[in-house]
Amino acid sequence: MGRSPCCDKTGIKRGPWTAEEDMTLVAHIEQHGHSNWRALPKQAGLLRCGKSCRLRWINYLRPDIKRGNFTGEEEDAIIQLHAMLGNRWSTIAARLPGRTDNEIKNVWHTHLKKRLDSSSSKTSGQAAPKRKAKKPVAAASTADGPVSMPVSSPEQPISSSATDYSMASSLENTASFTSEEFQIEDSFWSETLAMTVDSSGSAMEAGVTPNSASPSSSNDEMDFWVRLFMQAGEVQSLSQI
DNA sequence: AAATGGCTCAACCGCCATAGC
DNA sequence: GGCTATGGCGGTTGAGCCATT
């Protein structure tokens, strides 16, 4: 309702990023970080909206981005996490290191959703992928990704910063679980647990509450809830034995 | 070989949450 | 407490690619 646009669109370039723009953005973030996205394009000399710069960095230029096809394990993880969390793509992305919320969202809408639909309608066989391995599409990308990325990053941005969702909403989801939905393969959880340790750098000990972590660590908080779900799942699956 | 339709994915848009004043 | 600026999220779009006819 009459909300002002995120930035003045006059003189703002839109559409696919060029290699030069990518390099400019990466170089600037390497040097100065990205404390202020709004001011960044001006400082870096880019004719882009700050939002656009942020998106480009998060979804494509970040050094820790994993490109290429999703593995079966990753797809399974997305399906399971989506069953738990719904369309909270950034939260799901936080559980899949190197993957972005945008990418996960795309994968979900393009194959996983269809796969689930088809498997639920005719329980048999997964939909065979109709297409070959995806190719990099980005306008200015080189063959194996965007501009050649320096390996070291100035700061490791929290991948798509997990939002700290309220307990109430989390429990809402929990409450709607059926025991069937909650059957999760052990391999998935062991991998996810490993990710928890790897990605955060500080493994959460069992029984640690979100409040015990620093207020800014919404990732840790999310870990807590995911862990809670996991434990609930274990309890449920144990009770089924 | 050309036309066409479907699929993929990067990018944009609008809204919400929160921090800072 | 109210207002503004900014960051972040999820939904949607559209150009380009690929497979099929």
Side-chain angles (χ1 to χ4, degrees):
Chain A
M1 319 271 278
R3 193 184 179 83
S4 60
C6 75
C7 49
D8 183 10
K9 301 253 188 317
T10 57
I12 291 296
K13 187 167 179 272
R14 299 177 56 189
W17 281 64
T18 65
E20 296 92 279
E21 287 176 313
D22 280 346
M23 283 190 291
T24 303
L25 179 59
V26 169
H28 187 270
I29 291 176
E30 281 281 305
Q31 278 197 349
H32 305 100
H34 50 71
S35 55
N36 187 341
W37 285 114
R38 186 97 160 186
L40 189 147
K42 192 174 281 185
Q43 292 166 357
L46 287 164
L47 296 174
R48 292 279 182 173
C49 167
K51 215 171 191 177
S52 180
C53 293
R54 177 185 160 270
L55 217 60
R56 183 65 178 169
W57 172 255
I58 287 176
N59 288 333
Y60 211 84
L61 298 175
R62 251 170 40 193
D64 57 333
I65 289 287
K66 196 196 290 181
R67 317 282 323 164
N69 290 336
F70 277 62
T71 65
E73 288 78 21
E74 285 174 317
E75 291 187 349
D76 288 344
I78 292 168
I79 290 168
Q80 302 289 357
L81 287 165
H82 186 269
M84 287 166 53
L85 301 165
N87 293 359
R88 291 170 180 170
W89 305 117
S90 61
T91 308
I92 294 172
R95 313 306 313 160
L96 294 170
R99 300 299 189 181
T100 69
D101 53 355
N102 207 29
E103 206 177 4
I104 291 170
K105 188 165 53 179
N106 282 333
V107 168
W108 174 260
H109 284 121
T110 54
H111 346 18
L112 300 184
K113 197 173 163 187
K114 288 174 194 165
R115 192 205 289 181
L116 283 186
D117 285 349
S118 65
S119 67
S120 67
S121 64
K122 47 167 177 171
T123 32
S124 68
Q126 59 220 67
K130 287 175 89 171
R131 301 173 70 116
K132 290 190 270 180
K134 62 186 166 189
K135 36 70 204 147
V137 164
S141 306
T142 57
D144 56 346
V147 295
S148 59
M149 292 292 300
V151 177
S152 65
S153 70
E155 76 229 78
Q156 205 72 291
I158 297 169
S159 80
S160 308
S161 69
T163 308
D164 48 336
Y165 292 97
S166 69
M167 180 176 181
S169 64
S170 299
L171 291 179
E172 251 176 52
N173 285 330
T174 318
S176 66
F177 288 156
T178 66
S179 58
E180 284 175 5
E181 283 171 329
F182 228 98
Q183 285 183 345
I184 295 170
E185 294 169 16
D186 288 343
S187 61
F188 166 71
W189 291 122
S190 59
E191 282 177 20
T192 308
L193 275 171
M195 288 175 194
T196 303
V197 174
D198 291 340
S199 60
S200 67
S202 59
M204 291 189 66
E205 299 299 329
V208 174
T209 68
N211 289 338
S212 67
S214 73
S216 64
S217 58
S218 52
N219 251 343
D220 286 350
E221 192 167 336
M222 201 58 227
D223 281 343
F224 169 79
W225 293 116
V226 171
R227 214 184 169 85
L228 188 66
F229 290 140
M230 289 191 243
Q231 285 169 358
E234 281 166 12
V235 169
Q236 285 207 7
S237 54
L238 280 175
S239 69
Q240 286 170 358
I241 298 173

